[in-house]
């Protein structure tokens, strides 16, 4: 128990209302500072940095899932006594946020160029402030136990200073360079993209087969032209050569000859290069170095010109002649018509092909020659891979994603980090206005008036890659948070971010801190709809988590999102699942209210001496112990779905359906000491499972806990349940299992015979097991309460009449004489089905145990359990067969 002053209880409403429960509670937590680190230097630190949501809009259901899992971890560790820090923040999300603001301005007929850089950035800050406020409201509504005093934004001064230092250090180390290269270009955002910001989708297209005429009197196979196929005729004005493979015997005589680019009549050579695949198409390809990465490399090897045919918006430029100013797709159609008219088009072959699209704007990307800044990735990637072989390796959960990480690191390309945007971290490079000299530094040159700063900004992932340590005060390695909480404990994010973010955090952290950024990375999947489809605007199947909370409450949403999940797997959201979650919360509320109403003047739950525990007490405490162990073990493995399943089974089945019902027998009795003992056990178990539930259902558990006798100010900082050796009681569990099995059998017989519980019937229990007979006799009151017998007989000599319904359970036969209700023919049919059921179980076990591999390789306890099941079912089968014979004999009379 917490060693704090006991607080008064509050009333619980007769009906569970999530809005009333949640009202004002979050602000109370924040005001009381319960989310802050404990400051206990003797405690083990545990830290999580929140993956910063983009300030592009509201949080979606995926954010709710992700943050719920983090909150469950941090709340549990806080209750376990760790010195916990959950540091929140948001990401400026350069291209994504700028695209949103530009779209908003377009609706008003304004472009960013109309405003200019300074005024446009002010517009983006206003957007950021608006949506940051919305995100704060959503965090509160979800109940996230964040330390707002440490909240960070990726454009904060401290982070910006760190970003500049990292850039300059990498530049000085030769790991950042500026070069002209083929990059992915987003024509709408007018910026470079990295490879992983490009999504490939199938688009309708065509192969345009075009004649390239020879110059002079050259012919080939009797023709005065060669055939070149292209999917992008609009780039042909950038053609500088045609290439063939030097080993291709077909074209050896053509190497060194020249052809003419159609429509512009520019002469280009035929060259030989091993890049060309002789087996693909005609074995001849046009070389356009300014518009294809492979062609660019060929051009460098052969010292070819680089002719860019496109403007930043993908319209054609002055190198495209009369097509200058036309949109790329309109130009494609016009060029195709003109080629046809000129007799240069051989044929057009429709195809479906994979085309790159911008992840942010959705438009087709262009391969474009451009001067950009790059990070040299090979040494950074090699260091990251090497670290995975050390004790400081990042632990991937599930483990299979380490292979995904390693594969990408092994095949990584240099990272283009410059973006032609206005919103973001400005590149700390300046160019002298007169000499063109370049200066790279953390601060501007002293004579700043003579220099102009690079207009580009850094890729968003450059700053977010530093997130785990810049949020802790780095580059000040003496910063208290950096020394105390870095490396962080767990990173929770989607598996789709292994390339984008996880890998970058790992190699940047290793390079600048010599440590991994986090011990574990827990990867979850995507939230999908009931049909398994990805949620998207185009499908109209997106769900606002705040709407779900308005309907069901935050606790039900959190329970639904964290139940039935497995690390690394996608999850389906359904309102049926939400209905079930709400019913569970409501069940907890009603059960808790029953307990609290029966506690009388109790000031705090205190377990009675073990010598005074009855069977139900011993059983519920043993089941509680197993549940505590199971939940803690599965939290440690990040198996939240399995932890929740154990909690659900314990609360709904063990506590509500059985222990509470059994407690009514005691509480309505005359034994005052027994009543007091039961009240204390009820209160203790309720207190303990509220603590177990609190990380996933913070609001309702806090409300109930404050309404019952308790010690402490908040469940947020209450101690987490522990396993108690003295609660272990296999005998009590076995005895209660038998008792429950018999009660269920009685209920089933009544249901099948249509004999309601209010109607007393004779109940006959035949058993040759002395221990079971003792348990049943000692707990007759439960059999009487749940079975409603007119007469109850227990013993080895009990004889069931022919006109009775019988059920066989472990070590016992239950019979209920129902002469006026039973048809012996129906009973034969029912018992026959029971025989078939038990026979199938016996056959299954026999086959399994006959498998030598199973017996030899399975754990001994598993084999022993299977043999016990076999023996139990053989006993049930024999007893049921005996009873069937008796009824059949009665029918024959």
């Amino acid at each position: 128990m917490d060693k704090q002053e006991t607080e008064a209880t509050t009333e619980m409403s007769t009906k569970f209302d999530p809005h009333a429960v949640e009202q004002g509670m979050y602000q109370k937590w924040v005001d009381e500072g319960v989310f802050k680190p404990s400051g206990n230097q003797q405690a083990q630190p545990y830290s999580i940095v929140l993956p910063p949501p983009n300030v592009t809009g509201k949080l979606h259901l995926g954010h709710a899932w992700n943050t719920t899992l983090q909150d469950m971890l941090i709340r549990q560790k806080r209750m376990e006594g760790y010195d916990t820090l959950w540091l929140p923040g948001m990401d400026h999300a350069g291209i994504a946020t700028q695209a949103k603001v530009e779209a908003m301005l377009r609706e008003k007929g304004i472009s960013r160029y109309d405003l200019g850089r300074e005024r446009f950035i002010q517009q983006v800050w206003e957007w950021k402030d608006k949506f940051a406020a919305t995100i704060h409201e959503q965090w509160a509504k979800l109940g996230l136990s964040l330390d707002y005093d440490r909240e960070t934004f990726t454009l904060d001064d401290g982070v910006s200073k760190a970003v500049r230092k990292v850039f300059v250090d990498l530049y000085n180390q030769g790991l950042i360079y500026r070069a002209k290269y083929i990059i992915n270009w987003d024509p709408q955002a007018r910026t470079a993209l990295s490879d992983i910001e490009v999504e490939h989708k199938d688009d309708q297209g065509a192969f345009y087969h075009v004649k390239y005429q020879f110059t002079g009197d050259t012919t080939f196979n009797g023709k005065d032209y060669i055939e070149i196929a292209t999917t992008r005729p609009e780039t042909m004005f950038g053609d500088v050569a045609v290439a063939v493979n030097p080993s291709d015997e077909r074209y050896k005589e053509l190497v060194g000859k020249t052809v003419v680019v159609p429509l512009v009549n520019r002469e280009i050579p035929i060259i030989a290069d091993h890049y060309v695949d002789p087996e693909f198409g005609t074995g001849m390809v046009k070389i356009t170095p300014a518009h294809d990465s492979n062609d660019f490399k060929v051009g460098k090897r052969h010292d070819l010109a680089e002719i860019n045919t496109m403007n930043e918006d993908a319209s054609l430029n002055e190198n495209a002649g009369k097509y200058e100013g036309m949109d790329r797709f309109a130009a494609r159609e016009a060029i195709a018509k003109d080629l046809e008219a000129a007799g240069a088009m051989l044929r057009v072959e429709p195809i479906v092909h994979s085309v790159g699209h911008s992840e942010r704007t959705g438009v087709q990307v262009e391969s474009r020659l451009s001067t950009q800044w790059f990070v040299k990735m090979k040494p950074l990637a090699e260091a990251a891979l090497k670290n995975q072989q050390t004790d400081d390796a990042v632990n991937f959960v599930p483990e299979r994603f380490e292979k995904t990480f390693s594969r990408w690191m092994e095949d990584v390309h240099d990272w283009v980090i410059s973006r032609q945007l206005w919103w973001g971290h400005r590149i700390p490079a300046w160019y002298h206005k007169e000499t063109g000299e370049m200066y790279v530094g953390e601060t501007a040159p002293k004579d700043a008036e003579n220099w102009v700063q690079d207009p580009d900004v850094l890729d968003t992932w450059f700053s977010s890659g530093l997130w785990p340590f810049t949020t802790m005060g780095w580059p000040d390695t003496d910063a208290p948070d950096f020394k105390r909480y870095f490396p962080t404990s767990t990173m929770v994010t989607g598996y789709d971010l292994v390339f984008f973010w996880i890998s970058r955090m790992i190699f940047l952290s290793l390079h600048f801190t010599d440590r991994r950024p986090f011990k574990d990375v827990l990867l979850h999947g995507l939230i999908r709809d009931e049909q398994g489809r990805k949620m998207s605007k185009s499908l109209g199947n997106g769900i606002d988590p705040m709407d779900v909370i308005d309907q069901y409450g935050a606790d039900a949403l959190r329970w639904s999102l964290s139940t039935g999940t497995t690390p690394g797997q996608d999850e389906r959201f359904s309102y049926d699942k939400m209905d079930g979650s709400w019913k569970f919360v409501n069940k907890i509320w009603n059960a808790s209210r029953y307990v609290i109403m029966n506690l009388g003047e109790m000031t705090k739950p205190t377990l009675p001496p073990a010598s005074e525990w009855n069977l139900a007490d011993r059983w519920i405490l043993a089941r509680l112990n197993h549940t505590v162990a199971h939940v803690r073990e599965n939290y440690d493995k990040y198996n939240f779905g399995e932890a929740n399943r154990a909690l659900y089974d314990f609360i709904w089945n063990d506590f509500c359906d059985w222990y509470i019902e059994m407690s009514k027998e005691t509480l309505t009795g005359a034994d005052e000491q027994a009543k007091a003992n039961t009240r204390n056990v009820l209160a203790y178990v309720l207190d303990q499972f509220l603590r177990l539930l609190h990380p996933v259902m913070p609001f309702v558990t806090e409300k109930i806990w404050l309404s019952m006798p308790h010690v402490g100010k908040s469940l947020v900082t209450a101690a987490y349940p522990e396993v108690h050796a003295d609660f272990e009681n296999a005998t009590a569990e076995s005895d209660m299992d038998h008792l429950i099995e018999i009660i269920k059998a009685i209920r089933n017989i009544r249901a099948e015979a249509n004999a309601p519980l209010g109607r007393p019937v004779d109940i006959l229990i035949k058993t040759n097991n002395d221990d079971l007979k003792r348990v049943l006799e000692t707990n007759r009151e439960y059999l009487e309460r749940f079975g409603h017998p007119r007469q109850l007989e227990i013993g080895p000599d009990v004889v069931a009449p022919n006109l009775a319904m019988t059920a066989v359970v472990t070590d016992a036969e239950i019979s209920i004489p129902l002469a006026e209700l039973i048809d012996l023919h129906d009973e034969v049919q029912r018992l026959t089905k029971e025989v078939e059921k038990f026979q199938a179980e016996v056959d299954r076990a026999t086959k399994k145990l006959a498998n030598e591999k199973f017996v030899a390789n399975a754990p001994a306890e598993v084999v022993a359990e299977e043999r016990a099941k076999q023996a139990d079912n053989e006993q049930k089968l024999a007893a049921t067969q005996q009873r069937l014979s008796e009824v059949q004999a009665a029918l024959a009379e």
Side-chain angles (χ1 to χ4, degrees):
M1 288 291 172
D2 295 351
K3 295 179 181 177
Q4 297 180 37
E5 192 173 318
T6 302
E7 296 185 354
T9 58
T10 57
E11 289 295 322
M12 285 180 69
S13 62
T14 56
K15 184 180 178 183
F16 171 62
D17 178 356
H19 303 294
V21 167
E22 294 166 16
Q23 184 68 37
M25 189 176 290
Y26 190 80
Q27 192 58 49
K28 178 175 178 287
W29 284 331
V30 172
D31 292 344
E32 291 176 352
V34 292
F35 298 159
K36 298 180 187 301
S38 67
N40 179 6
Q41 295 300 305
Q42 305 307 310
Q44 186 175 339
Y46 184 92
S47 58
I48 296 177
V49 288
L50 179 81
N54 296 343
V55 289
T56 48
K58 299 176 181 179
L59 301 181
H60 52 64
L61 207 55
H63 288 114
W65 184 21
N66 175 270
T67 53
T68 292
L69 300 184
Q70 291 173 74
D71 197 31
M72 289 168 67
L73 283 170
I74 212 78
R75 283 182 182 271
Q76 191 218 32
K77 293 298 182 185
R78 185 186 291 121
M79 294 176 76
E80 285 184 332
Y82 286 79
D83 176 25
T84 56
L85 168 62
W86 190 16
L87 192 149
M90 300 182 201
D91 198 317
H92 68 281
I95 188 171
T97 306
Q98 179 159 321
K100 290 278 189 180
V101 176
E102 287 198 79
M104 176 190 72
L105 292 174
R106 274 197 299 274
E107 291 177 2
K108 301 176 182 178
I110 304 171
S111 79
R112 62 166 153 150
Y113 303 102
D114 296 329
L115 294 176
R117 187 166 192 147
E118 191 173 325
R119 286 177 61 203
F120 175 76
I121 288 175
Q122 184 56 44
Q123 287 277 321
V124 187
W125 274 108
E126 290 174 11
W127 173 283
K128 176 263 176 188
D129 291 342
K130 173 185 174 183
F131 283 98
T134 299
I135 290 169
H136 278 127
E137 291 171 4
Q138 292 179 298
W139 283 346
K141 209 165 179 179
L142 283 162
L144 308 183
S145 57
L146 299 156
D147 180 5
Y148 291 101
D149 288 350
R150 288 172 166 85
E151 185 178 348
T152 306
F153 183 52
T154 49
L155 288 180
D156 285 348
D157 289 343
V159 176
S160 297
K161 180 181 177 183
V163 167
R164 290 193 297 271
K165 173 178 171 53
V166 166
F167 184 97
V168 173
D169 285 357
L170 289 173
Y171 176 79
N172 290 334
Q173 293 161 11
L175 293 173
I176 280 183
Y177 63 94
R178 188 169 183 254
K180 199 172 187 181
Y181 207 81
I182 289 285
I183 46 85
N184 301 298
W185 183 264
D186 181 329
Q188 181 170 308
R190 299 190 192 185
T191 182
L193 301 173
S194 65
D195 290 345
I196 55 177
E197 289 173 307
V198 177
E199 297 177 322
H200 285 84
K201 302 176 184 177
D202 285 344
D203 278 350
Q204 297 286 340
F207 264 130
Y208 299 86
H209 294 261
V210 182
K211 292 180 182 178
Y212 278 55
Q213 297 278 350
F214 288 112
T215 59
D217 56 359
T218 303
T219 61
F220 181 70
N221 288 339
K223 298 173 181 175
D224 63 352
Y225 65 86
I226 58 173
E227 179 181 331
I228 297 294
T230 179
T231 58
R232 300 161 71 209
E234 66 274 14
T235 66
M236 63 191 293
F237 308 115
D239 293 352
V240 294
V242 170
V244 298
N245 193 293
S247 64
D248 195 333
E249 295 292 336
R250 294 173 296 174
Y251 303 130
K252 275 192 173 181
E253 65 185 75
L254 293 181
V255 175
K257 305 292 185 182
T258 58
V259 293
V260 174
V261 178
L263 302 182
V264 290
N265 297 320
R266 182 159 42 79
E267 192 174 324
I268 61 174
I270 298 175
I271 63 173
D273 194 279
H274 285 287
Y275 155 66
V276 182
D277 180 1
E279 304 298 321
F280 183 76
T282 63
M284 284 185 166
V285 296
K286 69 188 191 75
I287 301 300
T288 318
H291 293 283
D292 182 274
S293 58
N294 290 312
D295 291 6
F296 177 78
K297 294 171 186 174
V298 173
K300 287 296 183 188
R301 287 196 289 271
H302 295 266
D303 197 25
L304 299 172
E306 296 160 350
I307 305 173
N308 189 351
T309 67
M310 285 190 189
N311 297 309
E312 290 184 354
D313 62 355
S315 61
L316 271 64
N317 64 18
E318 68 279 3
N319 292 321
K322 73 173 189 177
Y323 307 101
E324 181 181 358
M326 292 182 71
D327 173 76
R328 54 183 166 164
F329 300 122
R332 183 180 296 178
E333 290 185 19
I335 291 165
K337 286 180 181 177
D338 288 349
L339 286 168
E340 195 81 47
M345 183 73 80
L346 290 166
R347 65 186 183 282
V348 178
E349 179 186 346
I351 60 168
V352 174
H353 59 154
S354 181
V355 179
H357 291 71
S358 169
E359 184 212 19
R360 294 302 183 186
T361 63
V363 300
Q364 279 193 19
V365 299
E366 286 291 336
S367 293
R368 187 170 186 266
L369 185 63
S370 178
T371 299
Q372 302 288 342
W373 290 90
F374 296 86
V375 172
K376 194 178 293 183
M377 283 300 305
K378 188 176 180 182
L380 296 169
E382 286 175 347
L385 288 168
K386 185 178 179 182
N387 188 70
Q388 286 304 108
Q389 309 306 314
T390 72
D391 291 340
D392 203 46
V394 172
N395 177 37
F396 283 79
V397 182
E399 189 178 346
R400 68 178 183 274
F401 286 105
E402 182 172 359
K403 292 180 181 176
T404 305
F405 165 77
S406 297
R407 279 197 303 270
W408 190 70
M409 282 285 147
E410 288 162 359
D411 192 37
V412 74
H413 302 113
D414 284 0
W415 172 19
V416 56
I417 54 171
S418 45
R419 297 291 181 271
Q420 289 62 57
L421 305 171
W422 290 350
W423 173 246
H425 293 101
R426 192 86 172 261
I427 288 177
W430 288 260
Y431 309 100
H432 198 277
K433 293 177 181 177
E434 293 184 7
T435 67
E437 174 192 355
M438 184 172 72
Y439 161 80
V440 174
E442 294 182 48
T443 57
K446 291 181 181 178
D447 56 335
E449 67 278 5
N450 296 321
W451 299 76
V452 59
Q453 188 173 1
D454 194 308
D456 291 353
V457 300
L458 287 162
D459 178 11
T460 297
W461 299 106
F462 191 89
S463 53
S464 57
L466 313 175
W467 189 246
F469 51 98
T470 54
T471 51
M472 299 293 181
W474 189 92
D476 180 5
T477 54
D478 289 326
D481 282 356
F482 184 79
K483 292 173 74 173
R484 177 73 172 156
Y485 300 110
F486 183 84
T488 60
S489 305
T490 306
M491 168 59 65
V492 183
T493 190
Y495 59 56
D496 55 328
L497 292 184
V498 171
F499 306 137
F500 284 101
W501 194 35
I502 297 300
S503 59
R504 287 166 175 165
M505 285 189 285
I506 291 173
F507 68 68
L508 287 168
S509 178
L510 290 170
H511 191 75
F512 285 98
T513 73
D514 294 321
R515 295 296 308 277
R516 60 188 174 186
F518 26 76
K519 177 180 176 287
D520 295 340
V521 55
L522 170 62
L523 296 159
H524 57 75
L526 304 175
I527 265 289
R528 298 183 179 274
D529 67 10
E530 284 186 82
Q531 300 173 45
R533 300 175 302 175
K534 187 176 178 179
M535 292 187 176
S536 67
K537 287 182 181 177
S538 59
L539 290 174
N541 61 347
I543 292 171
D544 187 335
M546 301 304 114
D547 292 343
V548 180
I549 291 175
D550 287 341
Q551 185 175 350
Y552 294 94
D555 293 311
L557 175 61
R558 289 168 61 114
W559 178 263
S560 179
L561 291 174
S562 59
T563 299
T565 64
T566 304
Q569 299 298 315
D570 292 348
E571 178 173 3
R572 295 190 183 192
F573 176 88
S574 77
Y575 281 103
D576 284 346
K577 193 174 175 184
M578 282 305 309
D579 288 338
S581 297
W582 187 89
K583 287 175 184 175
F584 182 47
V585 183
N586 189 56
K587 180 88 167 179
I588 293 164
W589 180 267
N590 290 329
S592 301
R593 188 167 180 274
Y594 162 80
V595 172
I596 292 168
M597 285 172 58
N598 280 283
L599 296 184
E601 300 300 315
M602 183 188 297
T603 56
K604 71 173 184 177
T606 305
L607 280 179
S611 59
E612 296 181 15
W613 299 347
N614 61 26
L615 174 61
D617 299 337
R618 295 194 300 275
W619 172 75
I620 198 65
L621 291 172
R623 294 294 305 127
L624 171 65
N625 220 34
H626 289 314
T627 305
V628 171
H630 202 72
V631 170
R632 293 185 78 127
E633 177 187 351
N634 281 287
Y635 261 70
D636 288 344
K637 294 177 179 178
Y638 303 111
N639 286 330
F640 302 114
E642 187 62 22
N644 283 359
R645 186 197 62 76
L647 273 169
Y648 181 93
D649 287 347
F650 174 76
I651 294 167
W652 193 296
N653 299 328
D654 298 341
F655 188 71
C656 295
D657 285 358
W658 291 104
Y659 188 75
I660 281 184
E661 292 305 311
M662 288 178 169
S663 75
K664 293 175 181 177
E665 184 66 27
T666 306
L667 295 177
T668 55
D671 188 333
E672 293 300 323
Q673 185 59 52
K675 287 182 183 180
N677 289 349
T678 295
R679 290 191 190 102
N680 273 292
V681 174
L682 278 167
Y684 177 82
V685 175
L686 175 59
D687 171 272
Q688 292 293 290
F689 84 61
L690 288 174
R691 293 171 191 245
L692 286 173
L693 262 179
H694 179 73
V696 63
M697 289 187 187
F699 290 105
V700 72
T701 52
E702 176 85 323
K703 180 69 174 178
I704 295 168
W705 194 74
L706 291 176
S707 301
M708 68 179 288
H710 63 278
V711 175
K713 291 186 176 181
S714 173
L715 200 50
V716 176
T717 51
Y720 200 69
E722 296 181 359
V723 173
H724 296 283
D726 54 337
F727 287 0
E728 287 297 314
N729 197 321
T731 301
E733 289 188 87
S734 176
D735 290 349
M736 182 59 80
D737 286 346
H738 280 107
L739 187 59
I740 289 173
E741 187 181 22
I742 288 169
I743 292 170
K744 285 181 175 178
I746 293 169
R747 286 175 166 175
N748 288 341
I749 292 173
R750 276 184 168 277
E752 287 189 40
N754 198 26
L757 281 175
R759 176 180 175 179
V761 295
D762 292 341
I763 298 176
L764 313 175
I765 303 175
K766 180 181 180 180
T767 178
N768 293 310
N769 186 314
D770 291 339
D771 288 335
L772 179 57
K773 182 176 182 296
R774 173 187 51 77
V775 170
L776 298 177
E777 290 289 4
T778 307
N779 294 280
R780 285 181 74 95
E781 68 272 18
Y782 296 135
L783 293 170
E784 289 166 355
R785 180 175 187 85
F786 293 108
H788 296 275
R790 180 169 50 214
Q791 178 182 349
L792 175 62
E793 290 186 35
I794 304 169
D797 302 323
V798 171
V799 178
N802 289 332
L803 289 176
M805 289 187 72
T806 303
V808 176
V809 299
T810 303
D811 292 329
E813 295 174 43
I814 301 102
S815 299
I816 298 181
L818 296 166
E820 67 274 25
L821 294 176
I822 286 182
D823 181 303
L824 288 182
H825 292 90
D826 291 343
E827 183 65 355
V828 166
Q829 285 186 349
R830 190 182 70 82
L831 288 170
T832 300
K833 288 180 182 178
E834 287 289 291
V835 167
E836 290 170 355
K837 180 182 77 174
F838 290 131
Q839 184 67 61
E841 283 299 307
V842 170
D843 292 345
R844 183 199 60 79
T846 301
K847 184 178 179 181
K848 195 168 187 179
L849 290 167
N851 184 335
E852 292 180 3
K853 286 186 178 179
F854 168 72
V855 175
N857 298 324
E861 61 271 19
V862 173
V863 176
E865 184 180 350
E866 196 61 42
R867 286 194 170 119
K869 283 182 186 175
Q870 183 188 38
D872 184 41
N873 283 311
E874 284 174 344
Q875 180 264 321
K876 290 176 179 176
L877 174 62
T880 308
Q881 287 173 328
Q882 175 65 31
R883 180 59 184 162
L884 176 59
S885 298
E886 292 171 358
V887 177
Q888 286 173 330
L891 265 175
E893 291 177 358

